[in-house]
Amino acid sequence: MVKMYLSNVMLDPERLTAIAQSSLLPLVKGALYYTIPLTIITFLLGLILAILTALARLSGVKVLEIIARVYVSAIRGTPLLVQLFIIFYGLPNLGITIDPFPAAVIGFSLNVGAYASEIIRAAILSIPKGQWEAAYSLGMTYGQTLRRVVFPQAARVSVPPLSNTFISLVKDTSLASLILVAEMFRKAQEIASTNYEFLLLYTEAGLIYWVICFLLSIVQGRIEERLNRYIAR
Amino acid sequence: MISVQGLYKQFGDVEVLKGIDLTVDKGKVIVIIGPSGSGKTTFLRCLNVLEIPTKGKISIGDRQLDFSQNMTKRDIHEFRRLTGMVFQNYNLFPHMTALENVMEGPVTVKREAKEQARQKAMALLTKVGLADKAHHYPFQLSGGQQQRVGIARALAMEPEVMLFDEPTSALDPELVGEVLKVMKDLANEGMTMVIVTHEMRFAKEVADEVIFMDGGFIVERGTPQQLFTNPQHERTKKFLQLIQ
Ligand SMILES: Nc1ncnc2c1ncn2[C@@H]1O[C@H](COP(=O)(O)OP(=O)(O)OP(=O)(O)O)[C@@H](O)[C@H]1O
Ligand SMILES: [Mg+2]
């Protein structure tokens, strides 16, 4: 079988390039129109949700703390795929029908929000008490202290773990194919189902994910460098 | 300028301040001494409302907080601006340069224009002898330099009173002098200051009054001359013997 396949495609460079060429554009389109926007939108929404959740956890207000805890526990304790299926296939039973893309945005944002909230909470807790006190002693409010003193320092601590979350998210968006979002991996499946070049197409999709994540890790390095400029080396 | 009446502070069921009464006139320099755990830091933090006293009253200038009554966050924030705090560990903002540290209060809290704040901050850094370090981050400064930035940062808010909690005790001995000199200059300009310190020479030279605290009480107060050479209470005598 393997031999047959190899002789079929791999040993025929012309055919190989022809398939790659005809599928590359649809895949890149899937990435540009769906995978990347989905990642960026959900990451930003998730980050906002994460900050609110972290602040709720640290607020000292019992009700807020409990809501935040239950949310984080529920999201971390259930598979992402199950969450997506509940939102897309489950909610219609309640009469709530959501299109694939917004359903994916909701599902992934809730997911990022829960995981990133723990990162942000730990980062906020890592800022020494003296920093809060110095800010308060200048007359700053809680909000001003967060914005001017705590978040800038917490950002430095949380960039590496948040980058991991972001890179995982890029890859997790492939699950959106299962709720009918026309993102890159779904495109690969569609093409493969017509020409049966599964190995080629899934490898091609994998390579594109890899390229995106590689570029992201370069960006991550730049950001870390910038945030570390005030740290002794 | 400062008047404290019946100030109590409790942590859980441990009473740390047990009824402090104190008045300080404008332009006076008060040094607080006392053994570890006697409540000196707690008292200063109460003046800055970083700790909320259990009961008692503090007034500074014509403003008063009565801790037996309810008060809003706003009351506390506004009261806090009357005092500038200098911390033992400097607590500079590490992500800001010396200049940005000093500008931060005026820009964020007082909403001053950046350019004006920058000029004022530069003048303050010049005053503490650090004009050439304005664009350095805290990690690029020595402890003594960081503490002088800390003093400039507190002064930038133009407080009525400056509070110092052991400002030199985290410093290498050779760096203590530069910080004390800045404080002495401030005293000579007529700043009202409350200083917790173990620098007895400084206290003798600069203080108008020395206060000895022990066990949450003010045990004794007097001019440096009186307190150091002729202490009235046994506990004061013992403490002075220990530290000399
Ligand atoms: N946040 C807190 N919670 C509980 N106890 C505290 C707290 N802060 C201070 N204390 C206690 O209050 C007492 C007085 O502390 P404080 O720091 O005011 O003493 P101090 O006179 O400044 O001592 P030192 O010379 O060691 O700095 C100590 O017994 C300390 O353990
Ligand atoms: Mg102390």
Side-chain angles (χ1 to χ4, degrees):
Chain A
M1 281 295 278
V2 172
K3 241 188 188 156
M4 265 173 63
Y5 187 78
L6 284 179
S7 57
N8 209 359
V9 180
M10 296 299 181
L11 300 180
D12 183 354
E14 261 168 46
R15 211 181 140 205
L16 184 82
T17 36
I19 294 169
Q21 263 173 5
S22 66
S23 60
L24 189 62
L25 192 61
L27 289 197
V28 169
K29 266 190 182 165
L32 287 181
Y33 293 168
Y34 291 97
T35 304
I36 292 173
L38 182 62
T39 308
I40 292 174
I41 294 169
T42 51
F43 189 72
L44 293 180
L45 290 177
L47 212 52
I48 294 170
L49 196 55
I51 291 171
L52 295 177
T53 307
L55 292 179
R57 276 292 300 274
L58 298 170
S59 66
V61 181
K62 259 268 132 40
V63 189
L64 292 181
E65 267 176 48
I66 291 172
I67 294 172
R69 268 172 188 279
V70 171
Y71 159 57
V72 172
S73 166
I75 296 290
R76 295 214 302 183
T78 53
L80 177 52
L81 192 55
V82 173
Q83 295 160 18
L84 291 173
F85 271 42
I86 290 176
I87 293 167
F88 185 70
Y89 295 112
L91 289 184
N93 286 357
L94 292 178
I96 306 169
T97 312
I98 307 174
D99 284 342
F101 192 79
V105 167
I106 295 171
F108 287 115
S109 301
L110 286 174
N111 206 264
V112 170
Y115 282 94
S117 76
E118 291 295 289
I119 294 170
I120 289 167
R121 190 172 73 97
I124 291 175
L125 286 175
S126 77
I127 307 304
K129 220 172 123 232
Q131 291 290 307
W132 288 87
E133 294 182 341
Y136 282 150
S137 79
L138 293 176
M140 286 196 207
T141 60
Y142 177 74
Q144 289 169 333
T145 304
L146 278 180
R147 188 164 52 81
R148 301 289 307 168
V149 175
V150 175
F151 283 158
Q153 296 182 63
R156 194 185 64 79
V157 187
S158 53
V159 162
L162 283 179
S163 303
N164 284 340
T165 307
F166 193 81
I167 286 172
S168 300
L169 179 62
V170 173
K171 295 175 291 177
D172 286 347
T173 56
S174 60
L175 290 175
S177 65
L178 294 165
I179 58 167
L180 314 183
V181 177
E183 49 70 60
M184 175 167 62
F185 189 57
R186 184 161 183 88
K187 280 276 183 274
Q189 288 174 314
E190 281 169 7
I191 298 169
S193 69
T194 59
N195 66 6
Y196 302 107
E197 296 293 354
F198 297 104
L199 177 62
L200 250 176
L201 275 147
Y202 295 160
T203 308
E204 195 178 336
L207 285 173
I208 297 175
Y209 282 116
W210 191 4
V211 168
I212 295 174
C213 292
F214 178 73
L215 295 177
L216 282 174
S217 65
I218 292 176
V219 175
Q220 173 189 356
R222 291 268 166 84
I223 296 175
E224 278 175 30
E225 220 168 82
R226 199 178 143 65
L227 288 171
N228 279 336
R229 73 192 181 283
Y230 59 83
I231 292 300
R233 269 166 292 248
Chain B
M1 165 81 9
I2 310 177
S3 151
V4 178
Q5 292 165 45
L7 197 72
Y8 287 80
K9 175 64 190 177
Q10 217 163 319
F11 290 111
D13 22 299
V14 187
E15 197 152 65
V16 175
L17 297 181
K18 301 172 184 168
I20 303 277
D21 295 288
L22 179 69
T23 53
V24 179
D25 291 336
K26 194 171 169 65
K28 296 289 184 211
V29 176
I30 306 295
V31 164
I32 302 178
I33 60 172
S36 183
S38 56
K40 307 180 297 292
T41 296
T42 307
F43 177 56
L44 276 196
R45 291 166 57 89
C46 285
L47 290 178
N48 195 231
V49 213
L50 282 175
E51 300 296 351
I52 308 282
T54 322
K55 62 180 180 196
K57 289 181 197 167
I58 302 177
S59 56
I60 293 175
D62 50 11
R63 281 177 174 269
Q64 189 183 60
L65 281 186
D66 182 346
F67 296 97
S68 325
Q69 282 164 10
N70 285 336
M71 58 193 70
T72 63
K73 281 202 175 132
R74 198 190 170 83
D75 293 335
I76 293 175
H77 285 299
E78 285 183 359
F79 196 82
R80 220 173 245 154
R81 279 167 57 180
L82 302 171
T83 52
M85 184 85 163
V86 175
F87 299 90
Q88 187 172 350
N89 307 313
Y90 339 126
N91 289 342
L92 293 187
F93 305 130
H95 57 301
M96 299 180 191
T97 62
L99 187 68
E100 288 165 345
N101 264 279
V102 181
M103 288 168 61
E104 185 56 31
V107 170
T108 301
V109 179
K110 285 193 183 169
R111 309 220 171 274
E112 260 176 40
K114 274 222 166 130
E115 207 29 60
Q116 187 193 339
R118 188 189 313 276
Q119 281 171 16
K120 256 179 46 189
M122 208 55 218
L124 283 169
L125 285 176
T126 308
K127 180 177 168 148
V128 299
L130 290 172
D132 56 328
K133 304 286 184 198
H135 301 292
H136 285 51
Y137 284 98
F139 81 89
Q140 297 166 312
L141 300 174
S142 74
Q145 292 168 338
Q146 289 190 53
Q147 191 57 295
R148 286 185 280 154
V149 176
I151 294 172
R153 178 176 69 177
L155 286 174
M157 290 304 288
E158 296 170 333
E160 311 263 334
V161 178
M162 285 285 284
L163 308 172
F164 297 81
D165 189 11
E166 304 198 32
T168 57
S169 58
L171 295 176
D172 292 337
E174 74 271 20
L175 301 178
V176 169
E178 63 190 58
V179 173
L180 292 183
K181 172 164 183 309
V182 167
M183 292 168 62
K184 207 185 280 181
D185 291 347
L186 263 184
N188 289 336
E189 285 168 24
M191 175 60 82
T192 312
M193 297 160 69
V194 181
I195 306 166
V196 174
T197 185
H198 298 302
E199 296 290 333
M200 295 304 154
R201 272 227 346 251
F202 175 83
K204 276 176 206 163
E205 272 176 55
V206 180
D208 295 297
E209 196 169 13
V210 178
I211 285 174
F212 174 66
M213 271 183 79
D214 193 11
F217 295 103
I218 291 180
V219 175
E220 187 168 354
R221 60 185 298 187
T223 63
Q225 174 75 7
Q226 286 166 350
L227 204 108
F228 289 131
T229 56
N230 188 20
Q232 301 298 306
H233 288 259
E234 261 327 293
R235 283 192 281 175
T236 320
K237 286 179 195 162
K238 275 220 185 92
F239 177 74
L240 289 173
Q241 271 166 10
L242 270 173
I243 59 167
Q244 261 143 30

